Amino acid sequence: MAGFAFSWQIGLAVGVVVAVVVMSYRQTVYAYPSGGGDYEVAKINLGRYAGLTVASSLLVDYILTVAVSVSAGVINAKAMLPFVEGREAWTAVVVIVVLTIVNLRGVRESGRRSPSPPTCSWSR
């Protein structure tokens, strides 16, 4: 319960960080109106090696995001799908392979092949 005593300060600090990030992105968009990505911005301003460092860190970030998200999803899926128990790693690998195949096909092509999302009607 002691953590609640500092919650407003933590919230204020998070708000300041978000404001700084928003101002930084606004400056980047203004400086690169044609849409420079992080790699391009770092390469032009700081050099080739800085651009490669940014690109590498983005790849690691994307990989870790997928790993953490799929792991959390598989662990939560055990509640509804008891047969997943003991096969979490293989289930995660299968999910990642399916996501990889879908992404390699492209968003537009995958959208054509996948079924439309179900809709619910609350009217009588």
Side-chain angles (χ1 to χ4, degrees), residues 84-100:
V84 173
E85 183 76 39
R87 299 178 184 91
E88 293 91 348
W90 286 109
T91 306
V93 168
V94 168
V95 169
I96 290 173
V97 167
V98 169
L99 287 173
T100 303

Side-chain angles (χ1 to χ4, degrees), residues 15-72:
V16 168
V17 169
V18 168
V20 169
V21 169
V22 166
M23 289 187 306
S24 173
Y25 278 138
R26 287 179 58 93
Q27 290 176 345
T28 303
V29 169
Y30 181 74
Y32 300 91
S34 63
D38 293 332
Y39 168 75
E40 182 182 356
V41 171
K43 180 181 167 196
I44 289 172
N45 293 318
L46 302 173
R48 179 174 179 243
Y49 292 114
L52 292 174
T53 302
V54 167
S56 302
S57 65
L58 285 172
L59 285 174
V60 170
D61 177 46
Y62 295 156
I63 290 168
L64 289 177
T65 298
V66 170
V68 169
S69 299
V70 169
S71 297

